[in-house]
Amino acid sequence: MKKTILSVLLLLGLLAAGPAEAAKKKQVKQLNDREYWCQEAWKMAQPVLENMAKGELQKNMLTEFSPSFDNRNRKVVYMETFGRLMAGIAPWLALPEDDTAEGQQRKQLKEWALASYRNSVDPDSPDYLVWGASGQNLVDAAYIAESFIRAYDALWLPLDEITKKRYLDEFKKLRKIEPPYTNWFLFSSTIESFIAKAAGLGEYDDYRVMTTIRKVEEWYVGDGWYADGPVFAFDYYSSYVFHAMYLETLQNMIDAKANTRLEYKKYYDRALKRAQKFSIILERFISPEGTFPVIGRSTPYRMAAMQPLALMAWKQTLPKELSNGQVRAALTQVMHRMYDQQQNYNEGGFLTIGFCGHQPETADWYTNNGSLYMTSLSLMPLGLPADHPFWTSEAEPWTQVKAWGGQPFPKDHRWADDITTKDRW
């Protein structure tokens, strides 16, 4: 029954397309799920990293900006592209080398990535990024830091000491940027907690971390959702920023062995349960056809809306309500629905502004096509080896397939916090 339902879904996808598109989809379907994910990751990453490794990204990237883009320095597009891409593919590049076709792709991308990291902080490189030129730099420096967090041994430790020092210096200079009273607090805490882990507790700004944790706790509204500041908005910022960067901030403080008023381990365990609940919600958002609701601002971030679900899969912390087979099948179907038929890339091979295809009218005033590389955040399960159950388990119908197919499906219910914290002194 499970195989039959999935086969029907795939057949419906073929029948909905024209002959040429159907032929293309048939060709894509010959790949197994992991091969397909790797294909999409390579397609997204290769134009960026190959160019940047040679110091030619700013020369060759075909850029696009929102029709209402503000007056900030437009060179922020390159930091957005690089930081957001690396945050998504870092887990994949952290896998050990092997002689498979995929392994060769990873090896090449990792070589390009390490060269790109060096160029991005080298003032003599044509691809030196515009550190400190705009408040936007705080955002995308945090995604660069997040890529180091997600592949610390593979992407941070191999860097030469000059490059590491340059990163730490650039990160510290961003303290002059005052974050707005929103999810931006987490960009500061991600950077500062990474400094604590990488450089030591004497180097980081404790106040930026502590204040962020206290504000995020105040902004938790229940059932896995965070408000983006004092007022709740029904959007995907719990996906784009809150769950991942909050967990990573807390884990960095644990790794750094910080001794402060906060019980970081308890905070982490509670935040993890909230992320698990939110991943259940995201899985239920995925329709039988592989679509999910288009809500709120920043919709051109595409599959970044699924980041917590991808994060829980990669960290092997999926809640018991979600199996590896159903999560992989659901995310794969969304990828096929989003990427197989639409114009998501321009003639230079870079992402276009849109949600499912080229839809520039979806842009917000801060959107450029570098912003869109946040969609790579859904690729984190590639950081699990090919023989992990996430990839080898039989594909299973996800919740909406069961519900709309007349099959038994689990009831949903509210999750309440069951971990309490208090200041240690």
Side-chain angles (χ1 to χ4, degrees):
M1 177 61 73
K2 294 176 182 177
K3 291 182 178 179
T4 302
I5 290 171
L6 291 172
S7 298
V8 169
L9 285 172
L10 297 179
L11 178 60
L12 288 173
L14 291 177
L15 293 176
E21 292 170 338
K24 181 181 178 182
K25 288 196 76 175
K26 279 186 177 180
Q27 184 178 9
V28 169
K29 296 302 178 185
Q30 294 174 358
L31 302 176
N32 65 39
D33 287 349
R34 186 177 179 91
E35 289 169 340
Y36 175 70
W37 284 49
C38 291
Q39 170 188 277
E40 295 305 307
W42 174 267
K43 183 177 182 180
M44 198 177 297
Q46 176 266 323
V48 175
L49 297 182
E50 183 175 10
N51 275 292
M52 196 168 183
K54 295 184 290 187
E56 295 180 354
L57 181 66
Q58 298 187 35
K59 172 186 173 184
N60 294 332
M61 183 175 176
L62 188 58
T63 60
E64 182 182 8
F65 294 85
S66 166
S68 58
F69 200 73
D70 64 7
N71 61 359
R72 75 185 70 182
N73 188 327
R74 291 198 169 205
K75 285 191 174 183
V76 297
V77 62
Y78 306 112
M79 183 180 277
E80 293 190 44
T81 300
F82 179 60
R84 297 175 187 215
L85 171 68
M86 290 310 304
I89 67 170
W92 186 37
L93 301 191
L95 286 176
E97 291 187 7
D98 60 55
D99 293 328
T100 64
E102 176 196 331
Q104 293 304 307
Q105 284 187 325
R106 285 200 317 271
K107 181 179 179 181
Q108 180 63 82
L109 289 175
K110 182 180 176 182
E111 289 175 0
W112 286 337
L114 291 171
S116 298
Y117 279 124
R118 290 191 291 271
N119 286 338
S120 71
V121 287
D122 181 357
D124 295 327
S125 170
D127 275 341
Y128 176 66
L129 299 176
V130 287
W131 295 89
S134 166
Q136 179 66 35
N137 294 141
L138 179 65
V139 178
D140 297 297
Y143 285 103
I144 293 176
E146 190 173 46
S147 72
F148 291 141
I149 292 165
R150 292 175 175 177
Y152 191 81
D153 292 348
L155 298 180
W156 174 254
L157 292 183
L159 295 176
D160 61 88
E161 293 305 312
I162 292 175
T163 299
K164 288 179 183 176
K165 183 178 185 304
R166 284 172 172 169
Y167 269 107
L168 294 171
D169 288 345
E170 295 288 10
F171 286 153
K172 291 175 183 178
K173 290 176 185 176
L174 294 173
R175 291 169 183 166
K176 68 183 179 183
I177 298 173
E178 179 184 0
Y181 205 54
T182 64
N183 66 87
W184 279 49
F185 275 34
L186 281 155
F187 302 136
S188 290
S189 72
T190 299
I191 292 170
E192 295 297 336
S193 65
F194 171 72
I195 293 173
K197 176 177 179 175
L201 293 172
E203 300 292 323
Y204 86 113
D205 185 340
D206 179 59
Y207 184 75
R208 288 175 181 259
V209 175
M210 296 276 281
T211 300
T212 296
I213 292 171
R214 295 192 189 281
K215 298 315 295 185
V216 169
E217 289 298 329
E218 288 178 15
W219 294 341
Y220 183 65
V221 294
D223 228 16
W225 291 88
Y226 289 96
D228 189 9
V231 179
F232 178 76
F234 189 50
D235 57 29
Y236 285 114
Y237 273 80
S238 289
S239 287
Y240 299 150
V241 182
F242 276 93
H243 282 292
M245 287 193 170
Y246 191 36
L247 284 168
E248 287 160 342
T249 292
L250 294 168
Q251 186 62 60
N252 284 339
M253 300 312 294
I254 294 169
D255 292 347
K257 297 181 171 56
N259 181 27
T260 73
R261 294 180 185 274
L262 302 186
E263 302 174 296
Y264 293 112
K265 183 62 166 63
K266 282 190 175 182
Y267 277 88
Y268 182 91
D269 290 344
R270 183 170 61 195
L272 175 61
K273 288 190 174 185
R274 294 171 181 172
Q276 289 172 325
K277 169 58 180 176
F278 197 69
S279 68
I280 290 173
I281 292 172
L282 291 175
E283 191 270 351
R284 285 175 176 260
F285 276 3
I286 299 174
S287 76
E289 299 77 23
T291 63
F292 60 86
V294 186
I295 56 171
R297 64 189 178 95
S298 300
T299 55
Y301 295 170
R302 293 180 169 90
M303 286 192 67
M306 295 292 133
Q307 179 180 204
L309 186 58
L311 179 67
M312 293 298 98
W314 172 48
K315 290 291 189 181
Q316 304 178 70
T317 53
L318 284 171
K320 60 181 175 54
E321 290 83 355
L322 301 178
S323 70
N324 282 305
Q326 78 185 88
V327 172
R328 187 189 78 245
L331 289 176
T332 302
Q333 186 67 9
V334 175
M335 291 174 68
H336 281 301
R337 182 64 184 82
M338 180 167 284
Y339 295 136
D340 288 0
Q341 300 178 49
Q342 308 298 336
Q343 185 186 351
N344 291 291
Y345 293 88
N346 61 34
E347 54 267 37
F350 300 95
L351 285 169
T352 58
I353 293 178
F355 175 76
C356 184
H358 187 215
Q359 301 156 307
E361 70 281 356
T362 63
D364 294 287
W365 54 268
Y366 46 80
T367 309
N368 59 68
N369 66 327
S371 315
L372 318 180
Y373 283 84
M374 274 182 68
T375 192
S376 71
L377 300 176
S378 63
L379 296 170
M380 282 186 284
L382 282 174
L384 297 169
D387 60 357
H388 187 274
F390 182 83
W391 298 108
T392 60
S393 296
E394 181 182 0
E396 298 177 32
W398 51 99
T399 302
Q400 298 302 331
V401 173
K402 295 176 183 176
W404 290 95
Q407 298 181 68
F409 66 95
K411 294 186 292 184
D412 195 20
H413 58 87
R414 175 179 174 271
W415 279 31
D417 286 339
D418 59 1
I419 297 175
T420 59
T421 57
K422 61 181 180 180
D423 283 5
R424 297 171 60 231
W425 62 81

